[in-house]
Amino acid sequence: MDGQGTKHRILMVSDFFFPNFGGVESHIYYLSQCLLKLGHKVVVMTHAYGNRSGVRYVTNGLKVYYVPWRPFLMQNTLPTLSLTFPIVRTIIIREKISVVHGHQAFSTLCHEALMHARTMGYKVVFTDHSLYGFADAGSIHMNKVLQFTLADIDQAICVSHTSKENTVLRSGISPEKVFMVPNAVDTAMFTPSPKRLNCDEIVIVVVSRLVYRKGADLLVEVIPEVCRLFPKVHFIVGGDGPKRVRLEEMREKFSLQDRVEMLGAVPHAQVRSVLISGHIFLNSSLTEAFCIAILEAASCGLLTVSTRVGGVPEVLPDDMIVLAEPAPGDMVRAVKKAIDMLPGIDPQIMHLRMKELYSWDDVAKRTEIVYDRAMESPTTNLLDRLPRYLTCGSWAGKLFCLVMIINYLLWRLLEFLQPAVGIEEVPDIGPLHAHLGSRNDEAQEK
Amino acid sequence: MEWPPPSTSPSPSLVVRSPRQTVSLIRNRRPHRDWAPSSRSPSFAARDHGPKPSEVYGFVGSITTVIATAVYLAWAYTPEPVLQSLGITYYPSKYWALAVPSFVVVTVVLSMGIYMGLNFAATPPPTSFSTIFDEKSREHTAFSSATEDERPIEPISDIGIDRINSLMFGDR
């Protein structure tokens, strides 16, 4: 174990982290925990959330910098290009970081930190968590920003092959630089119910935010039709959002108050108790790079019905999922097929298969390979990097070069004002799970 | 009834929409795919009935931008006597050709400065409780299932500053 590879010092950067909740937040936290177990040092950098500001230590000694930077739009900070350079530089030097790992294409802090770390000569890795289109105004601008960030990246990670293809097309990055490392699920937390549910009454569970891109409008049409065709079907809908009113109206219109239960927002700690009360999990997303909710449901032993969008077909084997086009009629047929398949499903066997297919330890090992590959890439200076930005476009390329030159000059200025050798380095606290273990022993002795 | 297999035909939108060098790489590697490609989305059907509105907007937008830029440059740099001789006698004052860009630049710089000031104002002082504790802090809940084979990743919880100090600095 000790002689196995070099130990990295990783800085995770994103606008999204606890106390915010979501797929990116969970991914960063679980990945960091498993990397800590492998012996690496992990530091997370995000912006302040309300009163949660400054430096905190969370489970197993994971250090989190809540930089006092006000969120501007949807938990994103205002893009300022260079104003974050001093704090990013200080954190990187204090923690003796070797790899900077940015998360999520829509995170302003991530793009800026990667740019600054690149200027300072550090290795940078980027993980893309979402699919974006090519034609709407927001996506066009976002793709240009991504092209700028990825023009000079060491390695990139996508959570599915579909997501990898999407990212390569959007940014023009070389496909050899992009790794596919899937999301995972904590199978120990999502275990099936010890007592198997009987099939006298079939319960279909929906757990997602009730917004447009999660397909809430599809649910409004699918649920009444399924209830009409199958009298013994009940629905449990967990989640909140703008489209919840439409689902409530649907319940009123079709008199389904006793067959469709609306739970509202479900804390992540209670998702398992909701899932194990059902037989089938229904996912109606219109776009997904990867769908963690499907993994959680399969880990709890539920048969999944999902729309065939984005990276969803890659997630589960065919006997664990029934795919449908994102259209109400096709989804109703898929639900019917799932109900027919239900007697042959064993939740315990499905759970064991999920434990082998997806685990965060495996994700951490694969990410470790990406870090090793990034460390092997050659170190380049400013003159070697400028041509990469020039290829981004006839006008954009020159603008990007100008931004990078200014960024480099700013770095030299910071080096002059506050030399790196003068910044105090933070002492390490060592692996904390060992201390926790000894602590538990001491508690038992008392 | 056997469920129909996913469509193996590649979506033309991937080729048409993004004419980059890597498209040829993707196309060459396509026969070696070992995963089911995502089939066309429902909005793709609208493509069969003429150009999409977003494409028209994009095209008109780019043309309008070029024309507007040319008109602006002509208005800003052509001397007034030349404009008069060409018969153009009514146009906004040239003062605005300089004033509006200056306003934009000053707005951007000031917004950066104000944003930085807001961030400094939001920074809690070193003596503030916010730097060590807040309403979202979570206590560490001890797991009693340490002996079990399957142990979940512990949910996120805060470690107190006293423990961190003792771990980091020991008895110093």
Side-chain angles (χ1 to χ4, degrees):
Chain A
M1 179 61 183
D2 291 346
Q4 181 184 4
T6 179
K7 296 309 173 188
H8 303 291
R9 305 175 70 88
I10 304 134
L11 176 67
M12 303 275 186
V13 189
S14 183
D15 279 306
F16 311 105
F17 196 68
F18 174 82
N20 210 36
F21 281 107
V24 179
E25 293 83 347
S26 305
H27 182 107
I28 296 174
Y29 174 69
Y30 285 126
L31 177 60
S32 301
Q33 291 295 317
C34 291
L35 289 171
L36 285 168
K37 271 194 271 182
L38 290 178
H40 306 288
K41 178 186 170 65
V42 185
V43 178
V44 178
M45 175 185 172
T46 183
H47 63 74
Y49 282 83
N51 281 331
R52 198 167 177 88
S53 183
V55 183
R56 304 301 181 93
Y57 287 83
V58 298
T59 308
N60 283 331
L62 176 64
K63 187 172 186 177
V64 187
Y65 280 84
Y66 289 95
V67 178
W69 218 252
R70 285 185 185 274
F72 174 67
L73 171 75
M74 290 165 56
Q75 289 298 345
N76 267 308
T77 53
L78 181 70
T80 58
L81 287 182
S82 300
L83 291 188
T84 51
F85 209 153
I87 189 66
V88 168
R89 175 174 170 269
T90 302
I91 291 174
I92 289 177
I93 294 173
R94 278 175 63 83
E95 302 290 345
K96 294 167 284 188
I97 295 295
S98 58
V99 182
V100 177
H101 190 166
H103 287 265
Q104 185 60 314
F106 193 55
S107 170
T108 307
L109 199 61
C110 158
H111 290 291
E112 292 190 4
L114 292 183
M115 178 176 65
H116 303 325
R118 201 60 181 140
T119 299
M120 297 168 66
Y122 288 87
K123 306 302 178 184
V124 289
V125 176
F126 174 75
T127 294
D128 200 1
H129 290 263
S130 301
L131 295 178
Y132 281 88
F134 298 92
D136 52 295
S139 295
I140 290 173
H141 289 91
M142 202 64 241
N143 293 344
K144 208 64 187 176
V145 173
L146 190 70
Q147 189 180 13
F148 170 68
T149 300
L150 296 190
D152 194 27
I153 203 91
D154 284 305
Q155 306 292 334
I157 296 173
C158 292
V159 294
S160 65
H161 290 101
T162 303
S163 179
K164 170 176 174 172
E165 185 166 322
N166 182 259
T167 297
V168 168
L169 289 175
R170 283 159 49 215
S171 65
I173 185 179
S174 168
E176 288 84 43
K177 284 186 176 180
V178 186
F179 287 75
M180 203 289 284
V181 179
N183 271 314
V185 64
D186 190 8
T187 51
M189 188 169 288
F190 292 92
T191 52
S193 172
K195 182 178 185 298
R196 184 172 176 178
L197 301 175
N198 59 68
C199 292
D200 298 343
E201 172 188 283
I202 295 176
V203 181
I204 299 180
V205 179
V206 179
V207 179
S208 77
R209 287 179 290 119
L210 303 177
V211 295
Y212 168 76
R213 77 176 279 253
K214 294 297 183 183
D217 295 299
L218 269 175
L219 289 179
V220 170
E221 304 199 35
V222 168
I223 292 179
E225 188 66 14
V226 171
C227 289
R228 186 181 68 85
L229 292 174
F230 306 98
K232 61 178 183 176
V233 165
H234 287 245
F235 279 87
I236 295 177
V237 180
D240 207 344
K243 299 288 185 175
R244 181 176 178 178
V245 176
R246 284 207 65 189
L247 269 80
E248 298 280 8
E249 287 171 356
M250 174 266 297
R251 284 210 309 170
E252 298 285 331
K253 180 180 177 185
F254 294 94
S255 301
L256 295 172
Q257 289 89 345
D258 56 328
R259 298 181 61 187
V260 179
E261 186 181 353
M262 306 280 298
L263 301 180
V266 181
H268 191 255
Q270 297 176 21
V271 168
R272 175 185 178 267
S273 58
V274 174
L275 290 174
I276 60 177
S277 63
H279 302 79
I280 292 171
F281 181 79
L282 180 59
N283 174 54
S284 55
S285 291
L286 302 183
T287 168
E288 287 283 358
F290 194 93
C291 195
I292 299 179
I294 286 179
L295 292 187
E296 293 170 351
S299 185
C300 289
L302 275 71
L303 180 61
T304 302
V305 176
S306 176
T307 48
R308 192 195 304 265
V309 296
V312 170
E314 303 177 35
V315 175
L316 288 179
D318 288 337
D319 57 328
M320 285 185 180
I321 189 170
V322 183
L323 295 168
E325 299 301 320
D330 209 29
M331 291 194 70
V332 172
R333 282 190 290 274
V335 170
K336 177 185 183 307
K337 183 186 176 186
I339 292 175
D340 294 338
M341 289 169 61
L342 211 50
I345 296 294
D346 187 341
Q348 299 292 340
I349 293 180
M350 186 179 282
H351 175 77
L352 292 178
R353 290 178 65 187
M354 288 304 299
K355 200 195 300 190
E356 292 177 11
L357 285 173
Y358 291 103
S359 78
W360 283 110
D361 293 320
D362 180 59
V363 170
K365 289 190 179 68
R366 291 160 81 155
T367 307
E368 194 180 25
I369 294 173
V370 179
Y371 294 152
D372 294 334
R373 188 72 63 87
M375 297 305 292
E376 293 166 10
S377 60
T379 303
T380 55
N381 52 37
L382 183 66
L383 290 182
D384 297 329
R385 294 165 48 223
L386 290 183
R388 302 181 191 174
Y389 292 104
L390 272 177
T391 59
C392 291
S394 54
W395 286 101
K398 298 178 179 61
L399 268 178
F400 292 169
C401 284
L402 179 63
V403 169
M404 291 315 292
I405 291 171
I406 293 176
N407 202 252
Y408 181 85
L409 293 177
L410 184 62
W411 176 45
R412 302 313 308 178
L413 177 66
L414 290 174
E415 282 286 324
F416 174 75
L417 293 176
Q418 189 181 26
V421 294
I423 297 179
E424 180 183 355
E425 294 177 349
V426 176
D428 286 330
I429 59 178
L432 201 66
H433 47 275
H435 295 277
L436 283 179
S438 61
R439 174 107 175 199
N440 288 337
D441 295 340
E442 294 170 9
Q444 291 170 8
E445 289 172 5
K446 296 174 184 177
Chain B
M1 170 183 175
E2 191 67 22
W3 198 253
S7 170
T8 54
S9 64
S11 174
S13 65
L14 291 178
V15 181
V16 173
R17 291 179 183 278
S18 186
R20 295 184 191 275
Q21 298 292 337
T22 53
V23 173
S24 57
L25 282 174
I26 298 286
R27 295 176 70 178
N28 292 336
R29 291 173 50 187
R30 186 160 288 149
H32 306 293
R33 278 192 214 168
D34 55 355
W35 48 274
S38 58
S39 58
R40 49 172 68 180
S41 60
S43 64
F44 185 73
R47 185 175 167 79
D48 301 327
H49 310 291
K52 291 167 62 178
S54 57
E55 295 179 4
V56 176
Y57 294 149
F59 182 71
V60 172
S62 65
I63 298 292
T64 304
T65 301
V66 173
I67 294 177
T69 304
V71 169
Y72 168 79
L73 290 179
W75 163 55
Y77 285 99
T78 310
E80 287 190 8
V82 178
L83 285 178
Q84 301 274 357
S85 65
L86 288 175
I88 303 172
T89 57
Y90 182 80
Y91 48 84
S93 171
K94 281 179 178 291
Y95 163 80
W96 295 108
L98 267 181
V100 170
S102 300
F103 290 168
V104 172
V105 172
V106 171
T107 300
V108 170
V109 174
L110 273 187
S111 62
M112 299 279 179
I114 291 174
Y115 184 63
M116 199 64 174
L118 282 177
N119 292 334
F120 281 135
T123 306
T127 54
S128 171
F129 257 122
S130 295
T131 55
I132 58 177
F133 191 84
D134 62 277
E135 72 274 7
K136 300 189 180 71
S137 295
R138 290 182 176 181
E139 289 295 325
H140 174 70
T141 56
F143 268 83
S144 59
S145 60
T147 56
E148 288 187 9
D149 173 44
E150 190 175 358
R151 181 176 181 180
I153 297 175
E154 297 178 23
I156 190 165
S157 62
D158 283 72
I159 301 178
I161 192 69
D162 50 331
R163 287 208 59 210
I164 294 297
N165 282 340
S166 64
L167 287 168
M168 189 175 287
F169 303 108
D171 298 326
R172 282 178 282 170

